[in-house]
Amino acid sequence: MDNWTFGWTMIIVGMGGTMATLGFFAILMGVLKRIFPVKEEK
Amino acid sequence: MWDAVINGVSGLGAGFVHMHWSNPVMIVVGCFLLFLGIKKDVEPMLLVPIGFGAILVNIPIADLMGNDGFLRTIYDMGVSNELFPLLIFIGIGAMTDFGPLLENPKIFLLGAAGQCGIFLTIGLALFFGFPQLDAVAIGVIGACDGPTAIYVTSRYAPHLLGAVSVAAYSYMSLVPVIQPPIMRLLTTEKERNIDMNAVNKSYKPASKNARMAFPLVITIIGGMIAPQGLPLLATIMLGNLMRESGVVGRLTKASENEIANVVTLFLGISIGATMDGEKFLTGQTLMILAFGFIAICLDTVCGVLFAKLMNVMTGGKINPLIGAAGISAYPMAARVVQREGQRHNKQNFLLMHAVGANTGGQAGSVMAAAIMLSVLKGMGIIP
């Protein structure tokens, strides 16, 4: 694979993949907080 | 008998006789690293053993990195098989509190934006003619995360390990110098003054169960998305699960203290041992140091610009300065943001938000490396 293709693939898929995955994690964390809410101490 | 005496005497001082010009230069470099660590307090835990290792490996004839050398034994024990960085990650996970990130999960995106420097620097290194896997190792300096840089480099470009590790740890400690000018350049006075104290009240804390579920879910989902990076992700999350569960206090303490300390010593001295003058003193090393600097600048630029975008999208509720904390240099980057924020508004306390972005950067750097390795695998570049 030539450097041009390799570089652009890394930038697009790597950077895009990182943003998308961490965005998904952010949503997951929101879901986790809903599933396990803070219980008020009695 | 005189022959034996003369031969015996010739064995003394053999190091001087066999010295290559690069050896004394590297001994000076090793001393400089020791100076930075001891006198300037620049990452002393790493720079002291690295500096000493660099001195040792540049003493001729001793051949400490030869097949039977003790530095080679340590190197083979945990660097060439990537064990040491992974053990350190357990300790990092055990030390990291992801609570501020869980309070405001959106901030995770800043941890992603802070990794853009990795991929942009890969492109830059390729443009300057570096082979593809070398470019990947250079780009990963932008993770601002020593163990990740060592893990990737020792696996795919071991000949660059010394330069990449020194660059990664040196620039990490220079974050308070590198970041503020970029932060000031990219933000307006009005943006720097944005008060996030009011936003604090809208955040809900995470329960203990959510904190425990976090490392598990991230490991399973992250591992499914990027299996090539699972060792990195799994070790940091194992450490964090031990911390949050609270039932394995002894293991948590051992991970963040004894294990991390012993491994840091071994890791440092074996990285120093890769700095053999004949291989290290090349134009390539200087270029790697330059690219490492560029990578961290690009991380900061992308982080701040992304935070500006978030600020616009939230109607002015995000202070763009916290974008600079989306890198892995923990907690240094968060402290830099807090200090910069207070330079402009004494009543503005950005620390908790910046710590959230900073822990996001820690998880983000690991995830970025994992994704990078999986993309490489997908393209057939690595086996």
Side-chain angles (χ1 to χ4, degrees), chain A residues 1 3 10 29 33 36 38, chain B residues 102-103 108 132 204-205 207:
Chain A
M1 185 182 292
N3 282 356
M10 288 305 286
M29 280 190 268
K33 283 172 71 178
F36 303 110
V38 180
Chain B
L102 279 163
E103 278 185 29
F108 222 146
Q132 292 172 352
K204 290 176 186 161
S207 66

Side-chain angles (χ1 to χ4, degrees), chain B residues 213-294:
Chain B
F214 168 76
L216 265 179
V217 170
I218 297 291
T219 304
I220 296 167
I221 306 288
M224 296 284 185
I225 293 171
Q228 291 299 310
L230 185 59
L232 292 168
L233 203 57
T235 44
I236 195 168
M237 291 303 158
L238 168 65
N240 193 250
L241 178 63
M242 293 196 303
R243 170 200 171 95
E244 296 299 343
S245 71
V247 294
V248 282
R250 280 164 53 196
L251 297 185
T252 311
K253 269 191 168 175
S255 301
E256 63 186 8
N257 296 310
E258 290 85 357
I259 295 174
N261 290 343
V262 170
V263 173
T264 301
L265 171 63
F266 287 163
L267 188 64
I269 201 165
S270 20
I271 289 167
T274 63
M275 295 166 71
D276 181 351
E278 285 185 54
K279 296 170 195 155
F280 191 83
L281 286 178
T282 60
Q284 195 185 48
T285 303
L286 287 177
M287 285 180 81
I288 291 170
L289 294 176
F291 283 133
F293 177 76
I294 292 168

Side-chain angles (χ1 to χ4, degrees), chain B residues 25-81:
Chain B
V25 176
M26 285 309 293
I27 289 172
V28 171
V29 170
C31 291
F32 179 66
L33 294 176
L34 288 175
F35 168 78
L36 287 178
I38 296 168
K39 287 288 181 188
K40 298 290 176 189
D41 202 30
V42 176
E43 296 285 341
M45 295 274 282
L46 255 300
L47 288 195
V48 170
I50 289 179
F52 204 79
I55 293 172
L56 290 181
V57 81
N58 282 287
I59 295 176
I61 306 292
D63 203 19
L64 298 184
M65 271 300 265
N67 285 338
D68 299 323
F70 90 97
L71 292 180
R72 170 63 64 186
T73 307
I74 299 174
Y75 183 88
D76 288 343
M77 203 165 70
V79 178
S80 61
N81 57 16

Side-chain angles (χ1 to χ4, degrees), chain A residues 7-33:
Chain A
W8 279 111
T9 308
M10 288 305 286
I11 289 173
I12 295 166
V13 185
M15 215 153 81
T18 304
M19 292 295 281
T21 307
L22 294 192
F24 180 56
F25 284 171
I27 296 168
L28 271 180
M29 280 190 268
V31 173
L32 280 180
K33 283 172 71 178

Side-chain angles (χ1 to χ4, degrees), chain B residues 121-304:
Chain B
T121 307
I122 291 176
L124 204 61
L126 287 170
F127 181 77
F128 279 89
F130 278 91
Q132 292 172 352
L133 287 178
D134 287 10
V136 166
I138 294 166
V140 88
I141 299 172
C144 241
D145 180 344
T148 301
I150 293 166
Y151 180 86
V152 174
T153 309
S154 60
R155 195 161 190 185
Y156 300 113
H159 54 289
L160 302 183
L161 187 61
V164 168
S165 311
V166 168
Y169 280 106
S170 309
Y171 292 138
M172 254 166 68
S173 59
L174 288 174
V175 158
V177 181
I178 296 171
Q179 285 199 316
I182 300 172
M183 292 156 75
R184 283 173 221 150
L185 190 72
L186 295 176
T187 51
T188 62
E189 186 71 29
K190 191 182 164 197
E191 285 172 332
R192 290 191 289 266
N193 273 314
I194 292 175
D195 187 349
M196 290 187 72
N197 294 335
V199 186
N200 287 344
K201 291 164 193 158
S202 65
Y203 294 158
K204 290 176 186 161
S207 66
K208 185 177 167 62
N209 285 339
R211 283 163 166 261
M212 280 196 296
F214 168 76
L216 265 179
V217 170
I218 297 291
T219 304
I220 296 167
I221 306 288
M224 296 284 185
I225 293 171
Q228 291 299 310
L230 185 59
L232 292 168
L233 203 57
T235 44
I236 195 168
M237 291 303 158
L238 168 65
N240 193 250
L241 178 63
M242 293 196 303
R243 170 200 171 95
E244 296 299 343
S245 71
V247 294
V248 282
R250 280 164 53 196
L251 297 185
T252 311
K253 269 191 168 175
S255 301
E256 63 186 8
N257 296 310
E258 290 85 357
I259 295 174
N261 290 343
V262 170
V263 173
T264 301
L265 171 63
F266 287 163
L267 188 64
I269 201 165
S270 20
I271 289 167
T274 63
M275 295 166 71
D276 181 351
E278 285 185 54
K279 296 170 195 155
F280 191 83
L281 286 178
T282 60
Q284 195 185 48
T285 303
L286 287 177
M287 285 180 81
I288 291 170
L289 294 176
F291 283 133
F293 177 76
I294 292 168
I296 290 173
C297 291
L298 287 172
D299 284 341
T300 310
V301 169
C302 294
V304 173

